[in-house]
């Protein structure tokens, strides 16, 4: 849908959510949206990052990428939030960004947009759905419209997550994204752009 503005705002420690966000960005552009792909700032102490080679490497590779700002949400008609699961919850780095948005919330600038989320966990059923539901709690408070994918396309019966899109990274934390998940990510981007466009008009 033309003239829809899509913000993809995410946190990723070891790159999984980053890869999902990149695919969503491509799909959003294919759907005709103007896309801002933004990572939130890393907040973990240096020693925590240094303790994990994959985390250090991802941090170094992406540290110069554009960072999310409140204006990215004010600007957007549609928003996709990405977070790895943290004990079944939203990563504190993304939550911290959301917690800076009080002025925009109070001014009603976060309301009436289409929102949805994507996540990853190491284990199957490791908290993916609870992470997305926890993410959506804040969006209800903003007056955002949750554009969950549901089972609105036959492909959702393959990836199986009606709350958003999710990936299991496995014991090595590096299982690649599958074609089923790429298809689900494309559908998520198309849907949030479609609904964001309808809300705008
Ligand atoms: C502090 C912490 C808590 C986590 N909690 C869970 C969990 O509850 N269930 C699970 O399956 N994976 C859990 N994980 C694994 C991450 O969700 C997984 O590494 C992440 O989704 C990978 O995304 P990323 O590569 O974008 O960082 C946890 C990881 C960390 C560091």
């Amino acid at each position: 849908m033309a003239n829809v503005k899509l913000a993809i705002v995410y946190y990723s420690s070891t790159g999984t959510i980053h890869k999902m966000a990149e695919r969503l960005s491509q799909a959003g552009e294919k759907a005709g949206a103007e896309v801002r792909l933004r990572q939130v700032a890393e907040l973990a102490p240096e020693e925590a990052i240094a303790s994990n080679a994959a985390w250090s490497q991802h941090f170094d590779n992406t540290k110069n990428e554009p960072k999310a700002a409140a204006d990215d949400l004010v600007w957007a008609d549609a928003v996709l939030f990405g977070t790895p699961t943290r004990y079944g919850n939203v990563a504190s780095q993304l939550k911290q960004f959301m917690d800076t948005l009080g002025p925009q919330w109070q001014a009603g600038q976060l309301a009436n947009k289409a929102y949805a989320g994507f996540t990853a966990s190491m284990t199957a059923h490791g908290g993916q759905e609870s992470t997305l539901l926890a993410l959506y709690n804040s969006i209800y408070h903003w007056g955002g419209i949750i554009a969950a994918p549901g089972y609105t396309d036959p492909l959702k019966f393959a990836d199986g997550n009606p709350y958003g899109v999710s990936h299991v990274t496995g014991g090595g934390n590096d299982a690649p994204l599958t074609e089923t998940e790429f298809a689900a990510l494309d559908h998520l981007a198309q849907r949030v752009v479609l609904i964001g466009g309808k809300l705008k008009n």
Side-chain angles (χ1 to χ4, degrees):
M1 189 174 275
N3 302 322
V4 177
K5 299 185 181 92
L6 171 64
I8 302 168
V9 175
Y10 71 96
Y11 172 73
S12 183
S13 291
T14 54
T16 312
I17 297 294
H18 173 82
K19 287 193 197 97
M20 294 172 85
E22 285 186 324
R23 178 68 177 217
L24 288 163
S25 174
Q26 291 161 10
E29 282 175 2
K30 273 191 202 147
E34 186 182 345
V35 179
R36 288 190 189 176
L37 179 61
R38 300 285 186 266
Q39 62 171 215
V40 299
E42 181 58 86
L43 302 174
E46 269 175 39
E47 57 270 28
I49 300 173
S51 71
N52 178 329
W55 192 356
S56 297
Q57 194 179 9
H58 181 68
F59 178 75
D60 285 341
N61 289 346
T62 62
K63 65 184 171 203
N64 295 324
E65 292 198 2
K67 296 290 175 292
D71 176 64
D72 295 320
L73 294 199
V74 174
W75 167 86
D77 306 306
V79 181
L80 288 167
F81 280 123
T83 176
T85 192
R86 293 286 183 259
Y87 316 123
N89 217 318
V90 176
S92 55
Q93 290 87 343
L94 180 64
K95 187 63 167 50
Q96 163 66 14
F97 171 71
M98 296 173 85
D99 290 354
T100 66
L101 300 174
Q104 292 73 29
W105 158 67
Q106 278 188 314
Q109 293 172 312
L110 307 178
N112 307 330
K113 303 168 190 281
Y115 292 87
F118 55 105
T119 191
S121 64
M122 186 172 276
T123 57
H125 312 292
Q128 297 181 340
E129 293 179 356
S130 64
T131 298
L132 292 170
L133 292 170
L135 171 71
Y136 295 161
N137 279 339
S138 300
I139 295 166
Y140 292 122
H141 286 245
W142 296 348
I145 310 300
I146 308 288
Y151 294 93
T152 54
D153 187 286
L155 63 81
K156 289 303 297 178
F157 289 93
D159 83 285
N161 189 343
Y163 301 90
V165 176
S166 52
H167 172 68
V168 177
T169 62
N173 200 37
D174 59 358
L177 291 163
T178 64
E179 286 307 316
T180 297
E181 290 161 347
F182 282 133
L185 288 165
D186 292 349
H187 171 261
L188 186 74
Q190 285 158 15
R191 181 166 166 80
V192 83
V193 167
L194 179 73
I195 296 175
K198 286 179 193 273
L199 290 170
K200 182 185 160 144
N201 292 322

